[in-house]
Amino acid sequence: MKKYDVTGIGNALVDIEFKVKDQFFADNGVEKGLMTLVDEERQNALMSVIDTEQAKKQCGGSAGNTVIAISQFGGKSYYSCRVANDELGHFYLNDMKDAGVSHNLNESSLAEGITGKCLVMVTEDAERTMNTFLGITQTYSTGDVDESAIKDSQYLYIEGYLITSENGKQAMKHAKKIAEENGVKVALTFSDPAMVKYFRDPMTEVIGASVDLLFANEEEAMIFTGKDNLLEAREELKKVAKHFVITQGKNGAMIFDGDTFIDIEPYATTAIDSNGAGDMFAGAFMYGITNGHSYASSGKLASMASSKIVSQFGPRLQWHEAKDILARLNP
């Protein structure tokens, strides 16, 4: 019996989420729909023209959102990350603690620096646009990888955003090697179309011969495989992943369980904010497969959870909402 269902590695970012009109992007030179890395000066300039009083603040990062979801459904998760000894760093640590996620952070020995922040701009069409200042998480390296936590987990979950730095890439490879040497399964998420568009070669290097489980959306799957349709892309993904999930937004998802494809139906919802939908899908799905559910049942749970997330503002469920979704899955 392993101590953790999933150990995640990824960027630790405090998400500051707010609503904007499309004109905001034109006025401030922001490219809509993408995650863009920015420096602190640029991020502060954007923050100076938004109503931060109306913004929603909580700890995040792609893999951070996923391990929190696992915990909320009743799973056991661990997060290996990096924050600074500043106000937001302590906020992050306490928020993780409240979410029931174990972690490698020690309040008395946080490094000097600036904790990373992600400005999440949500428009009326529910699309999320992110401008991210990585801060100290940009220095995440092999030394931040908790080997004992990985060894004591069913799965290692690797966030694709780490690929943007050489030290992040080396940490991804190091963690994957530890997992493979100790019989721990490896899951990886592409995280964002930009990660496979601009970092395809290093991402391929991290994947190596294969991963046990891959998460991608339709656009990421086609960019990575170089195919212009999903049927061809999914066949190509079999070469690098033993199992995979392709999320399809309002059309649900497609799961390859190692033998067959499983279509996951969407749940009717009114989308107001897509931020965190993919992270939630991964978290609910990984909770399912590490706690006795089939791939089909886990996919259904993930679809229910992500449909709930897009119907509200913010990337996280309330605790009672996670319990309600589980009750719907197992009436």
Side-chain angles (χ1 to χ4, degrees), residues 25-293:
F25 300 132
D27 292 344
N28 294 282
V30 175
E31 190 171 0
K32 184 181 176 181
L34 296 179
M35 191 287 290
T36 304
L37 293 177
V38 297
D39 58 25
E40 188 182 22
E41 182 180 2
R42 167 63 171 161
Q43 195 177 66
N44 287 340
L46 286 173
M47 289 183 70
S48 70
V49 294
I50 67 172
D51 182 3
T52 53
E53 291 298 316
Q54 299 299 314
K56 186 170 186 176
K57 183 175 75 171
Q58 57 192 21
C59 71
S62 176
N65 290 332
T66 294
V67 294
I68 288 171
I70 292 167
S71 177
Q72 287 187 314
F73 282 111
K76 298 167 292 184
S77 58
Y78 185 100
Y79 197 38
S80 177
C81 58
R82 189 165 172 77
V83 300
N85 185 22
D86 57 9
E87 182 182 350
L88 288 181
H90 290 278
F91 170 84
Y92 195 98
L93 188 151
N94 290 326
D95 204 17
M96 271 286 173
K97 189 184 303 179
D98 290 343
V101 177
S102 300
H103 51 74
N104 65 322
L105 303 173
N106 187 326
E107 193 166 14
S108 62
S109 60
L110 296 178
E112 294 306 310
I114 301 170
T115 296
K117 299 187 293 294
C118 179
L119 300 186
V120 184
M121 297 156 274
V122 181
T123 40
E124 291 177 348
D125 60 1
E127 189 165 16
R128 76 2 172 202
T129 301
M130 298 182 290
N131 272 210
T132 303
F133 168 60
L134 291 173
I136 198 169
T137 194
Q138 191 168 14
T139 65
Y140 187 89
S141 66
T142 56
D144 297 300
V145 174
D146 191 321
E147 297 189 17
S148 62
I150 293 173
K151 292 175 183 177
D152 211 4
S153 300
Q154 294 186 57
Y155 267 89
L156 165 69
Y157 181 78
I158 302 174
E159 176 187 311
Y161 284 126
L162 287 174
I163 203 67
T164 61
S165 68
E166 179 62 27
N167 47 285
K169 183 187 80 171
Q170 293 304 324
M172 295 165 83
K173 292 174 66 176
H174 176 62
K176 183 172 183 281
K177 185 171 186 286
I178 293 167
E180 290 172 341
E181 289 177 348
N182 289 276
V184 176
K185 294 180 179 178
V186 177
L188 181 142
T189 174
F190 281 148
S191 295
D192 191 275
M195 297 303 102
V196 286
K197 182 177 181 181
Y198 300 112
F199 300 94
R200 188 185 184 284
D201 288 346
M203 191 74 80
T204 301
E205 185 182 335
V206 168
I207 291 172
S210 71
V211 291
D212 294 286
L213 178 59
L214 178 69
F215 291 93
N217 62 27
E218 289 180 284
E219 185 179 3
E220 292 158 1
M222 289 189 285
I223 292 173
F224 183 78
T225 59
K227 303 299 181 182
D228 58 8
N229 69 79
L230 204 54
L231 291 179
E232 291 185 12
R234 73 182 194 178
E235 291 303 315
E236 283 295 306
L237 287 182
K238 289 180 181 179
K239 299 176 182 178
V240 296
K242 297 170 186 172
H243 314 85
F244 55 82
V245 175
I246 302 174
T247 55
Q248 299 174 274
K250 66 180 185 299
N251 295 318
M254 176 190 302
I255 296 172
F256 179 62
D257 68 1
D259 293 311
T260 60
F261 286 99
I262 305 167
D263 288 322
I264 301 299
E265 294 297 316
Y267 283 80
T269 189
T270 301
I272 64 170
D273 177 10
S274 63
N275 180 40
D279 302 334
M280 175 55 67
F281 195 103
F285 185 82
M286 294 201 72
Y287 163 78
I289 62 172
T290 56
N291 283 275
H293 293 274

Side-chain angles (χ1 to χ4, degrees), residues 302-322:
S303 183
M304 293 166 66
S306 55
S307 71
K308 179 65 177 177
I309 280 296
V310 301
S311 71
Q312 61 189 32
F313 193 54
R316 193 184 305 179
L317 295 170
Q318 298 295 318
W319 287 91
H320 70 87
E321 291 173 328

